[in-house]
Amino acid sequence: MPNPNTPEDPVAHPATLLRDMVRIRCIEEELADLYRDEQEMRTPVHFSVGQEATAVGVCAALREDDLVYTGHRSHAAYLAKGGDLTGMVAELYGKQTGCSAGRGGSVHLTDRAVGFAGSAAILGEMISVATGAAWALATQGSSRVVVTFFGDGASEEGVFHESLNFAAVHRIPVVLVCENNSYS
């Protein structure tokens, strides 16, 4: 579902935020059960259970044309940004109707219609991609913002430090969101 916020009402109602967090948790738990019981999903699946609040809170503050990039635990951010649930589920099953035409699986989701630019499996990979996208938007004079979500393990990668430094020096409109998932 697209972000219902407008420039006149930039903050979602707390009940809406709670509903979105519970919705994402229920979807993730159901998908986890199906993944375990059916054995029919055609991709390794990396769930973002416990990271719903971060994704919902950050995405509620974004405009529809702002961009989001994530690492491999991308479901919560994808759904919070308004990504199509049917397309995501079809992607997990390797269907042509999936959000990446059944070729990307759980870790390569995309829904450009709502500004979910993409996700990837390589640790920290999307940090530099998001920084580059934000730099491109800035050089075009755009007021859009780019957000990248990543786990705490990615903060140990050189690309994190390089991107943070580059963004600070050039005053790039990128928001780096580090989710502490206790892996690092």
Side-chain angles (χ1 to χ4, degrees), residues 10 20 34 41 47 68 77 82 85 90 97 103 111 136 142 151 175 182:
D20 291 347
L34 290 171
M41 289 185 196
F47 298 107
V68 169
L85 174 60
T97 55
R103 291 182 235 134
D111 192 335
S142 174
V175 179
S182 299

Side-chain angles (χ1 to χ4, degrees), residues 27-37 41 47 49:
I27 289 167
E28 290 279 85
E29 289 177 346
E30 181 65 25
L31 288 172
D33 289 345
L34 290 171
Y35 187 76
R36 181 191 65 236
D37 297 341
M41 289 185 196
F47 298 107
V49 171

Side-chain angles (χ1 to χ4, degrees), residues 9-183:
D9 179 26
V11 179
H13 189 278
T16 301
L17 297 173
L18 178 60
R19 183 202 67 212
D20 291 347
M21 287 186 292
V22 170
R23 173 181 175 260
I24 292 169
R25 173 67 65 97
C26 290
I27 289 167
E28 290 279 85
E29 289 177 346
E30 181 65 25
L31 288 172
D33 289 345
L34 290 171
Y35 187 76
R36 181 191 65 236
D37 297 341
E38 287 183 343
Q39 299 289 311
E40 292 183 24
M41 289 185 196
R42 300 182 167 251
T43 178
V45 179
H46 302 278
F47 298 107
S48 49
V49 171
Q51 297 175 208
E52 303 89 352
T54 306
V56 169
V58 170
C59 290
L62 299 176
R63 297 178 309 208
E64 191 171 26
D65 65 341
D66 290 332
L67 300 176
V68 169
Y69 292 87
T70 70
H72 62 285
R73 297 187 192 284
S74 58
H75 301 172
Y78 173 88
L79 293 169
K81 187 64 169 87
D84 179 55
L85 174 60
T86 304
M88 183 182 93
V89 173
E91 189 63 32
L92 299 180
Y93 283 95
K95 305 281 186 192
Q96 178 68 32
T97 55
C99 61
S100 297
R103 291 182 235 134
S106 175
V107 297
H108 298 289
L109 303 177
T110 184
D111 192 335
R112 295 192 184 273
V114 297
F116 191 86
S119 58
I122 298 172
L123 189 65
E125 174 184 10
M126 298 312 267
I127 297 171
S128 61
V129 174
T131 302
W135 191 29
L137 291 174
T139 60
Q140 297 166 3
S142 174
S143 64
R144 294 163 67 190
V145 172
V146 179
V147 173
T148 183
F149 293 89
F150 55 92
D152 55 329
S155 68
E156 295 181 0
E157 297 294 311
V159 70
F160 167 74
H161 302 282
E162 295 159 357
S163 296
L164 191 62
N165 185 47
F166 188 84
V169 168
H170 295 284
R171 303 179 69 97
I172 296 172
V174 63
V175 179
L176 285 76
V177 180
C178 181
E179 299 174 296
N180 182 2
N181 54 29
S182 299
Y183 278 95

